[in-house]
Amino acid sequence: MRIAVTTPNGNVGSHLTRMLVRAGARPLLLTRHPDRIADELRPYVDIATADSQDAAAVVAATRGVDALYWVDPSVMSDDPLADYDRATDALVRAVEANGIRRVVFQSSVGAEKRHGAGEIDGLAATELALDALDIDVTHLRCGYFFSNLLLDQEALEAGRLQTVLPLEARMPWVAPRDIAEVAALTLLNRDWTGRRVRAVHGPADLSWSEVGEILTHELGREVLVERITDDDMRQGLLSAGMPPAMADAVLGMSTGLRDDFTPEQQRSVATTTPTTLRSWAREELLGVL
């Protein structure tokens, strides 16, 4: 089975690539930057240059592919949802042109809402487009990535985290490596068919207050979490150089799921993954902060 992986240098893709190699597969890596693929991986993978928003390039790169791991790339943009639309169009064209029978899509908790969740709306649109095709598809609705804590590394180093969410409200937090493991098992398992949704919830739902306590303990210095207004968060994103539409889309991922949202997939043994925030912080944060 020929398996292609998009964003192979991403938080999930980098783990997924190595897992597939260890399983004996030779994945095809689709990337805009082939020079960034690690030298040690090159004997075990094939590499194709393709921008996920370039339909012609994606079609050309995926000829002969049986299964595809697809990530809608989030890039700094003046119109992020239009970027998602272009990526979705490239995906659909590749599936149809090359007869790709199986897709595992990296989606998010909140995509089931379909509208009103900022950037997650782009993932929802991709889900709907894939559901309209006559293929086997699994949507991985992932929780909040531990690695998102590094998006504002300077603030984390200063012991300060900010959120627009209630500090005591719990939500699923998950390690990218665990998402990669679920993705690898799903890609390699030939027994499932049709449309499936699999949530990837991490080991436990956490509040932002609990996250601050865990990081304080593991980093050995105080990490304070502050709830700020929506406008303050938006102004902070703009001050960091984010275009207005991008700032709105990023903010919307929190505000759109803040009130009266009930996830379609509840936590179960099938959605719970093992890596804790404590262990991730010891392995990933201590080395970079």
Side-chain angles (χ1 to χ4, degrees):
M1 180 169 59
R2 186 71 159 142
I3 299 174
V5 175
T6 60
T7 63
N9 286 319
N11 289 314
V12 175
S14 57
H15 290 291
L16 174 59
T17 297
R18 292 172 183 271
M19 290 175 182
L20 291 173
V21 168
R22 290 196 294 272
R26 184 180 179 88
L28 169 66
L29 309 184
L30 275 59
T31 175
R32 291 181 298 161
H33 304 289
D35 55 305
R36 297 182 186 175
I37 301 299
D39 289 341
E40 63 186 5
L41 277 175
R42 292 177 180 272
Y44 303 97
V45 302
D46 295 317
I47 303 170
T49 303
D51 184 328
S52 295
Q53 295 183 36
D54 183 339
V58 175
V59 169
T62 55
R63 291 193 180 103
V65 165
D66 302 298
L68 173 62
Y69 188 74
W70 185 264
V71 179
D72 282 340
S74 179
V75 296
M76 196 70 73
S77 170
D78 291 323
D79 193 347
L81 294 183
D83 292 340
Y84 279 104
D85 286 343
R86 282 188 287 272
T88 299
D89 178 64
L91 168 61
V92 170
R93 290 194 191 188
V95 168
E96 292 180 331
N98 296 322
I100 299 172
R101 296 302 310 160
R102 179 161 295 204
V103 175
V104 177
F105 174 53
Q106 183 178 302
S107 189
S108 171
V109 170
E112 63 266 47
K113 189 175 179 180
R114 298 311 190 202
H115 300 288
E119 208 171 346
I120 295 173
D121 290 359
L123 303 177
T126 304
E127 283 195 15
L128 290 171
L130 287 169
D131 291 346
L133 302 174
D134 183 23
I135 62 170
D136 300 325
V137 58
T138 294
H139 304 301
L140 300 183
R141 292 209 182 130
C142 307
Y144 192 80
F145 286 24
F146 293 164
S147 54
N148 288 344
L149 291 166
L150 288 169
L151 293 176
D152 192 349
Q153 186 172 329
E154 184 177 338
L156 189 56
E157 289 173 345
R160 185 184 72 257
L161 293 174
Q162 295 180 327
T163 179
V164 298
L165 297 173
L167 297 187
E168 302 307 323
R170 287 185 170 87
M171 63 184 187
W173 288 65
V174 64
R177 186 201 175 280
D178 288 359
I179 298 170
E181 182 177 85
V182 175
L185 293 171
T186 304
L187 286 164
L188 294 169
N189 178 6
R190 302 186 187 215
D191 291 338
W192 61 272
T193 59
R195 176 192 183 270
R196 306 193 314 165
V197 177
R198 290 292 305 272
V200 191
H201 284 152
D205 290 358
L206 298 172
S207 70
W208 277 94
S209 291
E210 290 169 328
V211 168
E213 293 169 2
I214 290 169
L215 296 180
T216 294
H217 181 270
E218 296 303 328
L219 298 179
R221 57 180 183 270
E222 189 171 31
V223 177
L224 297 175
V225 184
E226 175 190 13
R227 185 178 183 186
I228 62 174
T229 67
D230 297 353
D231 187 61
D232 284 344
M233 177 65 79
R234 186 176 189 275
Q235 290 304 315
L237 296 172
L238 294 174
S239 298
M242 197 171 284
M246 189 74 188
D248 290 338
V250 170
L251 179 61
M253 289 192 289
S254 293
T255 60
L257 305 183
R258 183 173 57 195
D259 302 316
D260 299 323
F261 169 69
T262 301
E264 186 175 80
Q265 287 76 42
Q266 298 299 305
R267 179 177 292 279
S268 71
V269 67
T271 73
T272 298
T273 52
T275 303
T276 65
L277 180 59
R278 291 185 184 277
S279 63
W280 180 86
R282 286 195 296 268
E283 295 173 5
E284 302 290 340
L285 288 186
L286 287 175
V288 298
L289 298 182

